[in-house]
Amino acid sequence: MSINEDDVKNDSDNDLGDDFDYQPNAEDDAEDDDVDSLDSTSKSEEVCGVKRIADLMVEDIWNLEFRTEDEACQFYNAYSCWHGFVMRKDDVVRDNQGRIISRQLVCNKEGWRNMRYLDMDDRSREARSLTRTKCPARLRVKLDYGCGRWKVSCFVESHNHDLTPPQFAHLVPANRRLTVTDRVQVKNLHNFGVKSCHIIGYVAFQKGGYHHAGFTRKDLYNHIDRYRRAKVKNGDANAAINYLIGKSNNDLLFFGKYTFTSDERLEHIFWADGQSIIDYHCFGDIVAFDSTYKKNKYNKPLVIFSGCNHHGQTVIFGSGLLFDETTETYKWLLETFVEAMGGKSPKAVITDGDLAMRDAIKNVLPDAAHRLCGWHLQRNACENIKNPNFLRDFKGLIYDNNDQRDFDQRWAAILDKHNLVGSTWMEKTYETREMWSHCFLRDKFFGYIRMTSQCEGINSLIRFYVNRKNTLIDFMHNLDRALKECRNNELIADFKSQCSEPVMVTSLEVYERSASCYFTRNIFKEIRNEIQRARALNITVLSTTLDKVEFSVTALGDPAKD
């Protein structure tokens, strides 16, 4: 969320009530940004002592002097708040060096909306309400080169509109602020994951009404934006690195690594916490990852390494933000991933069809079986072959349990059937058949994972926590929240598996009950489906010898297929 200079001024942290003191002869060592001790030195010795804003007369204001332009803005901001209107910066005059030497501050109702915006006939949305009334109220200050002070050169007290009644005072921008208590509460709610749009309603409920909250939704957004900016005041990249250092101090197994470009900008970053590393050593034989998700402020490719746990749920092994998607970048990422996991390489990898990623896997993980995502392959088929009937036949080649000879026969038949002989895309796809057809991969273990849907599911989860305006540090924090969500799902599944028993439903109860003792609840359901399918098989013994029994198995209702 962007925030402009005027928003900051009107939403300052100044104490704007009756306790604001005007001290004409205060010492010059007062803080510039503290309105409560604002130093405004009067030229007249007759105006002395302490005066509150409510007590200032027109003559007092004409005699004010300020040390800086910003100090004058703070004063008029406090003055406008007390009297029930909003200050807005207006005209400015600069000298030959570009320095400001004169500044005019006006009521926000000064001016008038341009008529061309009032006479539009082709509006796409309803026009905003009119708020300006050509109000003459203003304060102009000018730099006096002789003494170096800013002096009042013009002051108009009167307005041509009603000032804000007390019951609406909390809606006046200059009068709105979050108290220290509000800030602590907002920070806690925001860190806990409560969305900004719900925080103000919660605070208003706690205080007994929106008018007691003392601030509006815009003020809340501005405050949260300043809070985020404060976290990255030394640079977004530095904040991200400090985040990794902080995590490593609290987690002995935490691993983080990053690189810089030649001009000292953050290039690549990878991190994995201790629990992710432990999960990898339990479930890391099969790893799925892709880089299709770019939901961050810098549009960096995000790569999430994931797998499947003992409940069949997605488990995250590590995350990386990359500068680009070249082969060298993916090689760095894979090498870093293996390093983080103590040198243990996965036995199988599932990715999309990215060529750079494919080359990197060949170099870094030469012994791993590489499977191309079936969903991405189908999507590419839809884009290159505009024929829905072809897609149905092509899916059979991807997932059916055929042998290699049968695959070649069916491939040739599909080419003839759909007039695809000579198709460049079909030729390239055939060259990679050993990476996507089940008949070439059925002797390798992939743990039910045939596509990168694990990654797509993670992206869907992250979308709930992350938006494109997040800074890098916010992005990493929100990824951590998504990771906790996955682990909470695993905890719930553990509880259901350990604290309850499934109902036996098949006629092969001995096998079913045995499976229920060994497998988690989600995996048991898959096993039970296999048991039910086993009942629909016809088994015929063909021959029996001392050390061998030969039999045939046919599906019930389909004796031709054995």
Side-chain angles (χ1 to χ4, degrees):
M1 183 180 69
S2 62
I3 182 170
N4 57 45
E5 183 180 0
D6 290 343
D7 284 336
V8 176
K9 296 299 180 186
N10 291 339
D11 190 40
S12 62
D13 297 334
N14 305 327
D15 214 58
L16 301 176
D18 196 47
D19 294 333
F20 178 90
D21 293 334
Y22 158 62
Q23 301 180 8
N25 296 318
E27 296 297 327
D28 285 349
D29 59 355
E31 293 291 334
D32 288 346
D33 57 353
D34 189 357
V35 178
D36 289 339
S37 58
L38 183 63
D39 173 20
S40 303
T41 305
S42 171
K43 181 177 71 173
S44 172
E45 293 298 332
E46 296 177 0
V47 181
C48 59
V50 175
K51 282 192 177 182
R52 296 177 177 177
I53 280 186
D55 301 328
L56 287 176
M57 307 298 292
V58 175
E59 294 78 9
D60 296 330
I61 295 177
W62 272 99
N63 290 324
L64 290 178
E65 295 180 359
F66 305 94
R67 290 171 299 181
T68 65
E69 175 219 350
D70 186 59
E71 188 178 273
C73 294
Q74 291 181 47
F75 165 76
Y76 199 58
N77 185 52
Y79 176 89
S80 65
C81 170
W82 178 254
H83 289 279
F85 67 98
V86 179
M87 178 206 80
R88 175 165 57 83
K89 291 183 178 181
D90 194 44
D91 292 342
V92 63
V93 179
R94 301 177 184 271
D95 60 13
N96 294 333
Q97 285 77 37
R99 296 176 300 179
I100 297 176
I101 59 174
S102 178
R103 165 71 76 178
Q104 179 167 273
L105 308 171
V106 299
C107 171
N108 74 324
K109 292 184 180 292
E110 183 272 342
W112 194 252
R113 187 173 300 176
N114 195 311
M115 290 301 298
R116 67 188 178 117
Y117 296 114
L118 299 177
D119 297 333
M120 294 175 61
D121 296 327
D122 55 345
R123 295 184 183 277
S124 59
R125 57 185 177 182
E126 184 179 355
R128 290 183 295 111
S129 301
L130 294 172
T131 57
R132 298 195 179 188
T133 62
K134 296 185 179 179
C135 179
R138 67 195 61 237
L139 174 73
R140 177 178 284 276
V141 291
K142 187 176 182 180
L143 178 63
D144 187 326
Y145 285 104
C147 62
R149 293 275 180 166
W150 291 75
K151 298 182 178 181
V152 176
S153 61
C154 177
F155 174 67
V156 178
E157 181 185 24
S158 61
H159 299 259
N160 64 359
H161 57 88
D162 294 332
L163 300 179
T164 304
Q167 65 267 31
F168 300 125
H170 67 288
L171 299 177
V172 177
N175 194 28
R176 301 191 307 247
R177 64 187 293 270
L178 276 69
T179 65
V180 174
T181 303
D182 290 334
R183 294 177 190 181
V184 172
Q185 190 173 24
V186 166
K187 178 181 178 181
N188 292 337
L189 290 170
H190 186 63
N191 289 341
F192 188 68
V194 178
K195 292 187 176 180
S196 302
C197 57
H198 300 313
I199 290 177
I200 187 170
Y202 178 81
V203 174
F205 173 78
Q206 294 289 94
K207 293 190 174 185
Y210 281 89
H211 61 287
H212 290 303
F215 57 90
T216 65
R217 184 170 285 108
K218 180 179 179 181
D219 304 310
L220 176 64
Y221 288 146
N222 286 343
H223 170 72
I224 291 177
D225 184 74
R226 285 194 297 273
Y227 169 67
R228 288 172 174 168
R229 289 169 183 264
K231 290 193 298 182
V232 296
K233 59 184 178 181
N234 293 324
D236 202 8
N238 288 337
I241 293 171
N242 289 333
Y243 171 77
L244 297 183
I245 295 173
K247 294 281 284 185
S248 64
N249 291 336
N250 298 320
D251 183 351
L252 295 178
L253 294 179
F254 183 88
F255 181 93
K257 191 173 183 178
Y258 49 88
T259 64
F260 290 98
T261 61
S262 57
D263 56 350
E264 297 300 319
R265 297 178 61 186
L266 185 63
E267 185 179 30
H268 312 311
I269 184 170
F270 172 86
W271 69 100
D273 65 9
Q275 186 59 52
S276 292
I277 295 174
I278 292 173
D279 288 340
Y280 176 81
H281 283 275
C282 294
F283 312 114
D285 286 342
I286 301 96
V287 173
F289 68 96
D290 69 3
S291 58
T292 59
Y293 190 77
K294 298 182 180 180
K295 190 80 170 179
N296 57 84
K297 182 177 180 180
Y298 307 104
N299 205 36
K300 283 180 173 288
L302 168 67
V303 177
I304 295 180
F305 293 87
S306 64
C308 192
N309 67 7
H310 54 309
H311 297 289
Q313 298 172 330
T314 297
V315 57
I316 297 176
F317 301 137
S319 307
L321 277 171
L322 308 177
F323 182 76
D324 53 29
E325 297 179 88
T326 63
T327 300
E328 291 302 316
T329 295
Y330 282 126
K331 286 177 62 178
W332 176 89
L333 180 65
L334 291 174
E335 290 169 352
T336 303
F337 175 75
V338 173
E339 179 186 353
M341 303 305 160
K344 177 185 175 180
S345 298
K347 296 179 180 178
V349 177
I350 300 96
T351 72
D352 60 14
D354 187 90
L355 294 177
M357 191 182 296
R358 192 186 309 174
D359 292 339
I361 291 172
K362 288 181 181 178
N363 282 276
V364 182
L365 306 173
D367 298 327
H370 185 189
R371 183 172 201 153
L372 298 181
C373 170
W375 180 85
H376 283 91
L377 198 62
Q378 293 175 55
R379 186 181 65 177
N380 292 337
C382 291
E383 294 175 353
N384 290 275
I385 310 297
K386 311 294 185 181
N387 186 338
N389 295 325
F390 163 78
L391 181 61
R392 182 170 54 252
D393 294 337
F394 185 62
K395 287 174 66 176
L397 291 175
I398 298 175
Y399 301 117
D400 285 353
N401 191 17
N402 307 307
D403 58 29
Q404 297 180 18
R405 183 178 60 181
D406 185 34
F407 174 88
D408 288 335
Q409 292 175 353
R410 293 178 63 180
W411 180 270
I414 288 175
L415 293 180
D416 292 335
K417 179 180 177 180
H418 300 288
N419 298 319
L420 296 174
V421 177
S423 169
T424 303
W425 184 83
M426 292 294 289
E427 291 176 356
K428 291 182 178 179
T429 303
Y430 181 77
E431 292 174 359
T432 60
R433 63 192 180 280
E434 295 182 357
M435 301 177 68
W436 54 264
S437 176
H438 181 66
C439 72
F440 292 92
L441 297 168
R442 62 182 180 177
D443 61 334
K444 298 179 176 61
F445 179 66
F446 286 95
Y448 289 107
I449 304 178
R450 294 185 177 182
M451 54 188 99
T452 56
S453 57
Q454 303 283 94
C455 304
E456 304 301 330
I458 293 170
N459 294 342
S460 178
L461 175 64
I462 292 173
R463 194 172 291 113
F464 180 79
Y465 293 96
V466 176
N467 67 67
R468 197 170 187 81
K469 296 179 181 179
N470 284 149
T471 60
L472 184 56
I473 183 65
D474 283 329
F475 189 77
M476 296 174 72
H477 275 298
N478 290 334
L479 279 178
D480 191 48
R481 291 180 185 173
L483 182 60
K484 291 177 180 177
E485 178 77 11
C486 289
R487 289 173 181 167
N488 183 62
N489 293 337
E490 180 179 334
L491 184 66
I492 294 172
D494 281 337
F495 173 79
K496 291 181 178 179
S497 294
Q498 296 177 17
C499 300
S500 62
E501 294 183 4
V503 176
M504 304 297 109
V505 297
T506 72
S507 59
L508 302 174
E509 184 175 342
V510 174
Y511 298 102
E512 186 180 5
R513 189 169 298 280
S514 176
S516 69
C517 296
Y518 287 106
F519 296 97
T520 61
R521 188 59 43 81
N522 292 344
I523 301 302
F524 166 71
K525 292 178 181 178
E526 299 288 340
I527 300 297
R528 184 164 60 188
N529 291 337
E530 293 288 339
I531 294 174
Q532 288 177 320
R533 282 194 287 268
R535 294 190 310 163
L537 297 176
N538 293 322
I539 302 175
T540 304
V541 177
L542 301 179
S543 64
T544 303
T545 62
L546 293 177
D547 59 351
K548 180 179 180 181
V549 177
E550 185 177 351
F551 57 89
S552 67
V553 180
T554 59
L556 186 65
D558 189 13
K561 185 175 182 180
D562 61 8

